[in-house]
Amino acid sequence: MFSPALSTAHPLTAYGWDPGFAERFTPFAEQGLCPGRIVRVDRGRVDAVVPDGDGVRTVLADTAPVATGDPMRVPCTGDWAALDLGPGKAHVDGVVRALLPRRTAFVRSTSSKRAEGQVLATNLDHVVICVSLAEPLDLGRIERFLALAMSGAADEEPLAAPSPAGGARPVVVLTKADLAGTPEGVAHLVTDTESVAPGVPVLAVSATTGDGLDVLRAVLAGGTSVLLGRSGAGKSTLVNALVGEEVQRVQEIRDRDGKGRHTTTTRDLRPLPGGGVLIDTPGLRGVGMWDAETGLARTFADVEELAAQCRFHDCAHRCEPGCAVQEAVESGELSVRRLESYGKLQRENQHIVAKTDARLRAEIRREWRQKQALGRHMAERKRGPRG
């Protein structure tokens, strides 16, 4: 039987195992199951690292026992799992019997018409938002990522949660700093980014020259981090630089539009030489809001503080008298762009929440009708045939 006791020499410590996860795993240990962290997901199967003596090994496990129709509950890279490594199906080493509660997760809405979320990575300490300086800075996109990152708490009553705020800590990394011109120009871009990310570390790095990498390694050491960004943001190159070897294939940027090709096709969790683990992700074309009310309030704390000073509680911040937000815009304290971004993301989030609530209500009504029909059927069977 596996003992969940934690020590500094525990094989899974380097992958994020700690007393909180050990406590959560106790009932599964009593069943003779083995803990493991999912490092890759591929078509109903996962690769997971599990203890192997004083070290670890990677096993291939089937996820059928935890299969669910809820896209928010499917196994994901970063999940901690209880695995049965006994004899199982051919070509796999075992099966996933359960997933431990998630502390944090990065979730976006899917591109489908249904109101569904997609979990990109779980149990995160840092969300690294990668933005290329080889193209114009998109502050609105950074605000979008920040709002989702700061809304990342996933399960109630987490043990030893990594962030007092409830979600993973965001970090904005401005990549390809060597292509952004003079050091003074790079410093200006960092300042612009800091203006929309108050309290969030903003680092300018270059995987080509190595500038800024030591600082980034220090920030990420000892925790679980996920790299997020659009194609061409330099994530694969950055992964290779941080890991210290070429683990991701890199392609050239397209000449016609400056956009990158998808060189990363799966979400893989990799250990870092200086401690901690890193999850790389494919480039994201779209990042839709998903239950991001808390994250929006934190990302736009300056706007929210101004809104609290408005004369009317339901002020729309357009032309109402006594609007502190509009007064800040007129004085130059708040930019029109930031206010418009705040409003856009708020409306998008409210829309997806409304769609989600409507879908849940429809599912409840459908289940109720099914139960009613089943009740009528059972009543007719008890009465027996007529006549």
Side-chain angles (χ1 to χ4, degrees):
M1 180 186 298
F2 175 81
S3 171
L6 177 75
S7 72
T8 55
H10 191 285
L12 291 175
T13 300
Y15 284 84
W17 186 256
D18 63 26
F21 287 121
E23 180 67 22
R24 295 286 197 189
F25 189 77
T26 299
F28 301 110
E30 293 171 352
Q31 300 172 34
L33 300 179
C34 178
R37 191 162 198 192
I38 296 175
V39 299
R40 184 175 182 177
V41 178
D42 188 13
R43 300 180 182 180
R45 295 179 177 179
V46 299
D47 289 338
V49 289
V50 299
D52 185 25
D54 293 333
V56 298
R57 64 187 175 102
T58 302
V59 299
L60 179 65
D62 182 43
T63 62
V66 292
T68 172
D70 184 354
M72 297 289 287
R73 293 297 173 184
V74 298
C76 183
T77 302
D79 274 333
W80 285 98
L83 297 107
D84 182 354
L85 299 182
K89 295 182 179 180
H91 309 302
V92 296
D93 303 301
V95 295
V96 176
R97 295 297 181 189
L99 299 177
L100 298 191
R102 295 163 175 167
R103 291 178 180 169
T104 58
F106 188 92
V107 185
R108 67 168 178 175
S109 64
T110 63
S111 58
S112 64
K113 294 182 180 179
R114 296 190 64 186
E116 293 181 344
Q118 180 189 20
V119 185
L120 298 184
T122 65
N123 296 313
L124 305 167
D125 297 288
H126 297 100
V127 174
V128 183
I129 302 164
C130 297
V131 181
S132 172
L133 292 183
E135 58 186 19
L137 202 58
D138 188 341
L139 297 179
R141 188 174 182 84
I142 294 173
E143 290 165 335
R144 177 180 292 271
F145 271 102
L146 287 172
L148 289 171
M150 293 184 182
S151 298
D155 284 300
E156 65 277 6
E157 298 182 4
L159 296 180
S163 171
R169 302 180 185 94
V171 180
V172 181
V173 174
L174 305 179
T175 64
K176 307 182 183 181
D178 55 301
L179 303 179
T182 65
E184 292 76 16
V186 173
H188 179 72
L189 293 170
V190 170
T191 300
D192 285 348
T193 305
E194 289 174 338
S195 70
V196 303
V200 175
V202 178
L203 307 175
V205 306
S206 169
T208 301
T209 66
D211 290 344
L213 291 182
D214 287 344
V215 177
L216 179 58
R217 289 190 185 100
V219 170
L220 305 186
T224 297
S225 306
V226 61
L227 293 187
L228 298 170
R230 62 181 295 178
S231 297
K235 297 189 304 302
S236 295
T237 304
L238 188 57
V239 168
N240 292 339
L242 292 172
V243 173
E245 58 181 294
E246 193 162 335
V247 294
Q248 290 287 16
R249 186 167 58 92
V250 178
Q251 291 187 0
E252 295 296 328
I253 302 299
R254 294 197 302 244
D255 291 334
R256 66 177 182 276
D257 58 9
K259 294 181 179 180
R261 301 181 180 94
H262 288 284
T263 56
T264 303
T265 58
T266 59
R267 295 188 286 275
D268 297 321
L269 184 150
R270 308 177 189 279
L272 293 172
V277 293
L278 183 67
I279 301 174
D280 191 16
T281 63
L284 300 174
R285 290 191 176 90
V287 187
M289 289 289 100
W290 180 264
D291 193 17
E293 181 178 356
T294 300
L296 284 168
R298 293 171 180 161
T299 302
F300 293 92
D302 53 340
V303 183
E304 298 258 327
E305 289 173 3
L306 289 168
Q309 302 171 29
C310 291
R311 180 184 303 176
F312 300 108
H313 177 71
D314 58 348
C315 183
H317 315 308
R318 294 191 181 93
C319 56
E320 294 84 354
C323 176
V325 174
Q326 283 298 331
E327 290 175 3
V329 170
E330 292 173 2
S331 69
E333 178 184 353
L334 178 68
S335 70
V336 173
R337 185 214 62 78
R338 185 158 170 82
L339 177 59
E340 291 177 346
S341 178
Y342 171 74
K344 176 184 177 181
L345 295 179
Q346 284 278 11
R347 290 190 296 273
E348 182 180 330
N349 189 64
Q350 292 166 1
H351 176 68
I352 196 67
V353 169
K355 285 179 63 178
T356 303
D357 290 345
R359 180 170 63 86
L360 290 176
R361 289 195 297 269
E363 290 178 354
I364 292 172
R365 287 196 297 269
R366 182 167 58 253
E367 291 177 359
W368 181 82
R369 287 194 295 267
Q370 290 173 347
K371 290 179 180 179
Q372 291 290 99
L374 179 60
R376 290 193 296 269
H377 175 70
M378 296 301 295
E380 291 175 358
R381 288 189 61 183
K382 288 181 179 179
R383 287 196 298 267
R386 297 178 180 178

